Amino acid sequence: MAAVKEWARADALRVLRDGLPADVLDWKDLADRHGFELDEMDDPEGVVPITALYAVFEEAAEASGDDARVFDVFNASDIGAFSLFDYLFTCAPTLREGCHAWQRFMQIRSNAYTITFAEEGGKGVLEWKLQDRHGTWRQNMFARMAWAARGFEAALGSQTPPLEIELATGAPVRTSEFQKRYGSRIRFDGNRNMLSIEAHYLDAKPVRNDNNLYAIIERASLGELNLRARNTSPLSAIAEVIAETMKAGSCTLQAVAATLGMSERSLQRTMEN
């Protein structure tokens, strides 16, 4: 696994590569220009810089001439394409516990953004907290949302479960089959990147629930989470943001916390510890 400061798992690029016609992108050129190794995409533990991940997704949309294609590519990906993280949801005792697991174990997928889960207004809400300083995340967010919806589809045994999707970016020019299925339940130009479902569904048991298997997956995920925590110091990310905000003349606790997607109190606790 490559040593990268702010990273994301490379399997998302593999799914993108395999979902596009072979002649759309020159992957060696992309790897050279964006600073990652091609082998990382097929390595179960491979990672790439988060900036590279976002940039490649944007280039793929432009090169293919279809800015909605990733919705269908990632919604059609196999359960297990993203390793343990997929099974944490589909094998969970309930949808609620699956959502909590995604939040809890997000750091095995990336140290550059977070997922939060909360119950608000009678709904369960998953929200992706991104940082604009990593580049344009629009296409990658389309992919993530379609992938997350696929998890709910598999868990509830429904091609179109009762999800509401909000994206904090504009709608694509083209229209995917995924968009056609969900119709008006996908809202673009919103304030958040979030997926929600009525709270009473959260008690539902996923179709593929297996408590024994889930316990094994949870232990394996804890092991990976602890390993990555030992290899990644949160203080290095904080120091990098402080340096950037000082250059911009905006180095305040509020500005640093907002850039990192943390509350001011959480940032203070991290630095004190």
Side-chain angles (χ1 to χ4, degrees), residues 19 45 65 72 94 125 128-129 151 154 185 207 217 223 238 252 255 271:
E45 297 184 357
D72 291 339
T94 65
V125 178
W128 284 254
K129 303 289 185 73
R185 288 189 283 136
V207 172
I217 293 166
I238 292 170
T252 64
M271 296 179 74

Side-chain angles (χ1 to χ4, degrees), residues 157-174:
S158 169
Q159 190 177 20
T160 314
L163 303 173
E164 298 285 341
I165 295 169
E166 178 179 333
L167 287 154
T169 187
V173 175
R174 301 288 291 271

Side-chain angles (χ1 to χ4, degrees), residues 6 38 45 47 62-63 70 77 86 100 103 107 112-113 132 137-138 142 144 146 163 175-176 202 245 262 264:
E6 293 182 291
L38 283 176
E45 297 184 357
V47 301
E62 184 176 354
V70 291
S77 60
D86 274 345
H100 279 298
Q103 174 179 268
Q107 292 297 300
Y113 64 90
D132 289 336
W137 42 257
R138 181 171 179 262
F142 288 171
R144 286 182 199 151
L163 303 173
T175 302
S176 63
L202 296 173
T245 53
M262 304 170 69
E264 293 178 34

Side-chain angles (χ1 to χ4, degrees), residues 14-201:
R14 172 179 50 76
V15 171
L16 178 66
R17 179 197 66 192
D18 295 348
L20 294 174
D23 60 350
V24 168
L25 293 172
D26 181 338
W27 285 94
K28 184 179 184 307
D29 175 65
L30 286 171
D32 290 343
R33 285 192 290 110
H34 295 295
F36 65 92
E37 299 293 329
L38 283 176
D39 291 348
E40 294 289 320
M41 292 193 292
D42 294 299
D43 181 345
E45 297 184 357
V47 301
V48 295
I50 188 67
T51 52
L53 182 76
Y54 289 167
V56 170
F57 269 79
E58 294 301 316
E59 288 193 36
E62 184 176 354
S64 69
D66 188 342
D67 61 348
R69 183 193 293 261
V70 291
F71 279 119
D72 291 339
V73 169
F74 278 76
N75 188 244
S77 60
D78 293 333
I79 298 295
F82 300 104
S83 189
L84 293 174
F85 208 68
D86 274 345
Y87 298 122
L88 280 167
F89 190 82
T90 56
C91 294
T94 65
L95 291 190
R96 178 180 286 103
E97 290 177 75
C99 290
H100 279 298
W102 273 354
Q103 174 179 268
R104 180 185 182 192
F105 292 107
M106 184 62 233
Q107 292 297 300
I108 70 176
R109 293 293 310 164
S110 176
N111 68 349
Y113 64 90
T114 59
I115 293 178
T116 62
F117 174 67
E119 294 185 48
E120 53 186 60
K123 294 183 178 182
V125 178
L126 285 165
E127 182 175 1
W128 284 254
K129 303 289 185 73
L130 312 176
Q131 299 179 32
D132 289 336
R133 66 192 178 90
H134 294 140
T136 303
W137 42 257
R138 181 171 179 262
Q139 286 290 313
N140 187 250
M141 193 63 240
F142 288 171
R144 286 182 199 151
M145 200 61 77
W147 158 82
R150 183 266 276 145
F152 280 87
E153 291 164 11
L156 292 172
S158 169
Q159 190 177 20
T160 314
L163 303 173
E164 298 285 341
I165 295 169
E166 178 179 333
L167 287 154
T169 187
V173 175
R174 301 288 291 271
T175 302
S176 63
E177 291 302 315
F178 177 80
Q179 290 167 265
K180 292 176 184 176
R181 278 208 330 270
Y182 282 93
S184 62
R185 288 189 283 136
I186 303 179
R187 184 163 68 89
F188 295 94
D189 293 312
N191 297 317
R192 306 160 72 183
N193 291 303
M194 54 174 270
L195 178 155
S196 64
I197 190 167
E198 294 291 334
H200 65 87
Y201 286 102

